[in-house]
Each structure stands twice: as structure tokens, then as C-alpha cells.
Amino acid sequence: MAGGGGGGAPAAIAGAGGQPADASATSKDGLRAGWRERYSRQIRFAPIGEAGQLRLREASVLIAGCGALGASLAQHMARAGVGRLVIVDRDYVEPSNLHRQSLFDEEDARKVLPKAKAAETKLRRINGETIIEAHVADMGYHNVGIFAADADLILDGTDNAATRLLLCDEAFRLGIPFIYGGATASQGMSAMLVPGRTACLSCLIGEEDGAEEGDSCDTRGVLSATVEFVAALQTAEAVKWLTGNKESVRGTWLNADVWNFAVQEYKLPSGVASCGKCGCQARSNSAELHSVEIGLRQPLQDSDDVNFPDNRDRESRLHGRRSTALCGRDTVQVTMGFALELEREIKYLERLGCGVTINPYLVKAELPSPCTEKLVLFPDGRVLVQGTSDMAEAERICDEYLSRHNRRVEGTAG
Ligand SMILES: [Zn+2]
């Protein structure tokens, strides 16, 4: 075995009969032993072939959100042989996720693992050759460019319109496709939006953050069949694009109901001339603008130490914390505006009588009776307050249950 380590060979390089193959063995063309066999059924599919499979190996995909859709998409991308996956999710695994979020299990929920990290562990077992970069973070203006850098396309696994609009804008700025997907109850929808070919998401659904909200899985429920149907649509378009079958993409907005079975398709309009995002390809100097902007991007780094290149975020940091009610979830996300020292917070929460669950990525605290709220603290300074939709109440709870140290830091920061 090359490289030492005691974990044994990943499945990707295990030989027939379950015996690990020599991890360092490569054929004359530089491919690992067993690579062709592993992907043989995909390679035999004529539109992909070995050339397409090699393209997948070189491809990089950003999966935004790793809930039901994102977990399924991540699994499909890893199994298909995509070379690099960047996964970003702000949430953790709960028992109510397990009926539809295919990468997670009861142990993940018991350990309160962040979805990005639980997914990373499973994906490494599925394909040891895929580079997995998992980030426990809230996607926003300040970091979308960092996560999307070097991506060949963006897969939508998010659950809200505001983040989708942000992602699609970034995709169009970079000149890469955004593959939209949504699943609620028995209804799913998907569309692949391509710069230079189709309109952008804001031209299709409007600019308001609230466009689609109210129709969440938490208010109307969702079937695993809906999720997998939509993930399959997104996966098919992604694989077409990444294997060079760019003329085969569907080019439609598809709505489906998997219960009262019906499918509707609408041809996607081309870019809107007056739109600064999808219409900008028509401008003669667009290529130059793109190259300048891409040249300014930051290299990908851990979410722990991302810097904040965007004015909008600097402004909000200056003014301290931000709160967002998560639609339909009876949860408020409070972004404190500074990193949390979890060791200190654990001691403080325990002193106040909270039941505390700890893992390397977050701290979950059940407030002492008669309170019923729960707090989930992330080191990046986010706190999920579960059991209320009232932002003022959530902030009051943070004031009461976060240590004085943090309150002092906040005071000096503002
Ligand atoms: Zn547009």
C-alpha cells in the first residue's frame, strides 16, 4: 500500500473478491488500476464513452446545500466519478431528515453531525478518488465566490429562493450553468440555466427573496420519491454537460407531480436583453469583464477562516449580528458577526443547566425546563434557535445563554 495509513483501500481501488488492489498501481496512461472496470457500465453508454468519463474525472462541481436534494446529488456525482465536489451546508442531521435524505443515518442524527461532514464521510466510502471539500457554512454574498471558484457547474440543493438567486447570479457571473431543483410534497421542479443560452433565475421567478417561500417541506411535507425524481433530473443534465454532451441538455423548465402523476415542460426563454445578468452575454465587452472579475477571486479555503471581500457583509459585521427566520421551521438563525469559542460556550451553557451535546463541529444545547427551545452553536458564529420564529426572542435567548465573553466582544465590535 502506498502512503501508509491504516484505513485499507477505498472501494474505488478494491480488486475482485474484495481484496484491496495496489493503490499505487497505474496503467501506462496514468489511470489507476481498475478505473475502466469501475466505470465500465457508464463508459459503455455511447454518449459518454471513455472520453466523457475522463472529463468527469477532471470536473469540479459545487453542491449548494446538502439536505435531501443535495445529499442525493452528491452521491450521484461521486458515484459517476466527478473529480472534485465542494459541498456547503449550514445545517445538521435530525431524525426528521432520515425518511428522505439518502446519505444520512440514525447515528448521524444521534451525534448531531453537520450534514456537510456526515456527507463527506459517506462520500469518501462511496468513491475514495473523488476530492471532497465539505464546508459547514451559511452560503451568502461574502463566501459564494470562494465556494464557486473553479466549479464547472453549480447544483442547487438549497431550500430557499434567496440563496438560489444568489447562486444563479454567481453562476452567470462565472459563465457556468446553475441547475435548479426544488421538491415539496409530491411536486418537484427543475431547470438547467445556462449563461449565453437561457434566462437567469431572477428573470424567471422574480427578484424578491420571498418568491417561492411559504411552500416549504416543513409546512407541506415532502416525499422521498419527489426528491429522487428531481435529483435524477438534475443529475442527468449535469452528467450531459460535464461529459461534453452540451447539445443534449433538456432546455426546459420541468414541473412534475409524482403522486397525481403529471409532467409539464416549458421551453426556457433565452437571456433577457435588459437583464444585467443573463443579458450581459450580448454585450461586446463581456468576455473582458469576466476575465477581470475571475482574476480577483480568492482561492478556496476553509470556512473557518474565510475573509470577507464583499462590502455588504462587512457592513453587516460592523453592525453586529443578523437574524433570519428559517421559513416553516420554527427556527431563527442568528449570525453573531464573530467566531464562537465553543469550549467556553459549553462550560457556560452547562453552568446554566442546559443539556449539551457536543461534536467536533457544533454544540447543541437544550435549554433548562420549563424552556423548550434548543440552541445549536457553530464556530463560525451562527446560532440556530429552535422553537421560535420570533427573531427578537431568538436574540434575547442568545443574550441570555451565550457567555459574557461573547457579549463583551460584540460590544467592542459594534
Ligand atoms: Zn436575467
Side-chain angles (χ1 to χ4, degrees):
M1 292 290 295
I13 50 173
Q19 292 305 307
D22 182 351
S24 63
T26 52
S27 51
K28 282 178 195 155
D29 52 15
L31 295 170
R32 282 185 185 232
W35 183 87
R36 283 189 180 81
E37 172 56 22
R38 173 171 184 145
Y39 298 108
S40 59
R41 303 312 190 266
Q42 201 161 260
I43 288 171
R44 277 178 215 172
F45 181 66
I48 294 180
E50 189 164 308
Q53 193 62 49
L54 286 166
R55 283 174 181 246
L56 286 173
R57 191 166 171 265
E58 299 303 315
S60 175
V61 171
L62 168 60
I63 299 175
C66 196
L69 277 178
S72 182
L73 292 167
Q75 181 189 187
H76 282 299
M77 291 298 105
R79 289 189 191 279
V82 170
R84 174 176 174 261
L85 295 179
V86 179
I87 296 167
V88 184
D89 192 278
R90 66 183 177 185
D91 213 347
Y92 63 94
V93 181
E94 295 179 274
S96 64
N97 302 146
L98 298 181
H99 87 281
R100 68 188 187 284
Q101 303 197 5
S102 57
L103 278 182
F104 309 130
D105 57 36
E106 292 174 1
E107 196 182 343
D108 299 327
R110 226 175 0 253
K111 290 181 174 172
V112 200
L113 288 179
K115 291 177 183 177
K117 292 296 174 185
E120 179 182 19
T121 304
K122 306 287 166 58
L123 293 167
R124 286 196 201 287
R125 275 185 229 152
I126 289 169
N127 194 339
E129 285 195 311
T130 295
I131 296 165
I132 312 286
E133 296 174 15
H135 300 272
V136 184
D138 193 17
M139 188 81 78
Y141 291 100
H142 61 287
N143 58 17
V144 64
I146 297 168
F147 295 132
D150 301 324
D152 294 299
L153 59 80
I154 299 177
L155 280 168
D156 174 22
T158 65
D159 59 1
N160 65 87
T163 311
R164 288 183 172 120
L165 290 165
L166 174 77
L167 287 163
C168 189
D169 288 355
E170 182 65 12
F172 273 63
R173 207 175 72 76
L174 292 171
I176 59 174
F178 172 71
I179 307 185
Y180 165 74
T184 308
S186 61
Q187 292 160 355
M189 60 204 89
S190 184
M192 178 167 178
L193 307 179
V194 184
R197 288 194 191 189
T198 73
C200 68
L201 191 61
S202 60
C203 285
L204 293 169
I205 69 168
E207 288 278 1
E208 301 93 52
D209 288 358
E212 311 169 356
E213 306 285 5
D215 249 13
S216 85
C217 298
D218 300 280
T219 52
R220 292 182 57 213
V222 63
L223 300 176
S224 65
T226 316
V227 171
E228 294 305 328
F229 186 88
V230 173
L233 293 171
Q234 290 175 281
T235 298
E237 299 311 289
V239 170
K240 287 178 201 173
W241 189 266
L242 296 174
T243 56
N245 291 283
K246 295 186 177 178
E247 298 314 312
S248 301
V249 300
R250 208 178 61 239
T252 64
W253 182 288
L254 190 148
N255 291 336
D257 189 316
V258 299
W259 194 267
N260 304 303
F261 192 78
V263 174
Q264 297 170 314
E265 275 187 282
Y266 307 92
K267 188 169 171 14
L268 285 166
S270 51
V272 178
S274 60
C275 173
K277 299 155 195 165
C278 60
C280 66
Q281 273 72 26
R283 284 190 219 143
S284 59
N285 61 349
S286 65
E288 193 184 326
L289 279 175
H290 270 249
S291 65
V292 171
E293 289 174 13
I294 291 165
L296 292 172
R297 332 225 91 233
Q298 305 287 331
L300 191 71
Q301 46 190 297
D302 270 334
S303 57
D304 296 342
D305 58 357
V306 288
N307 52 15
F308 297 89
D310 188 285
N311 285 336
R312 228 178 295 213
D313 196 79
R314 259 206 301 274
E315 188 178 45
S316 68
R317 279 166 64 80
L318 207 64
H319 290 113
R321 64 192 168 197
R322 261 177 303 151
S323 296
T324 316
L326 304 186
C327 175
R329 287 193 48 185
D330 203 25
T331 297
V332 174
Q333 176 176 272
V334 182
T335 304
M336 303 303 291
F338 49 82
L340 289 171
E341 282 180 43
L342 294 188
E343 291 289 329
R344 186 190 300 267
E345 297 309 319
I346 291 163
K347 286 186 195 137
Y348 194 71
L349 289 162
E350 284 177 339
R351 217 180 308 147
L352 293 177
C354 297
V356 177
T357 308
I358 304 160
N359 67 42
Y361 314 104
L362 58 81
V363 174
K364 183 176 183 185
E366 303 195 16
L367 301 195
S369 177
C371 300
T372 53
E373 291 88 353
K374 293 171 187 146
L375 296 180
V376 181
L377 282 60
F378 294 89
D380 66 0
R382 289 182 302 118
V383 181
L384 297 179
V385 184
Q386 295 183 315
T388 181
S389 306
D390 180 338
M391 288 186 266
E393 172 65 5
E395 293 189 9
R396 190 199 62 72
I397 291 172
C398 288
D399 282 342
E400 187 175 344
Y401 287 93
L402 294 194
S403 70
R404 286 167 204 289
H405 168 78
N406 278 321
R407 273 180 269 164
R408 184 173 55 75
V409 171
E410 185 190 13
T412 56

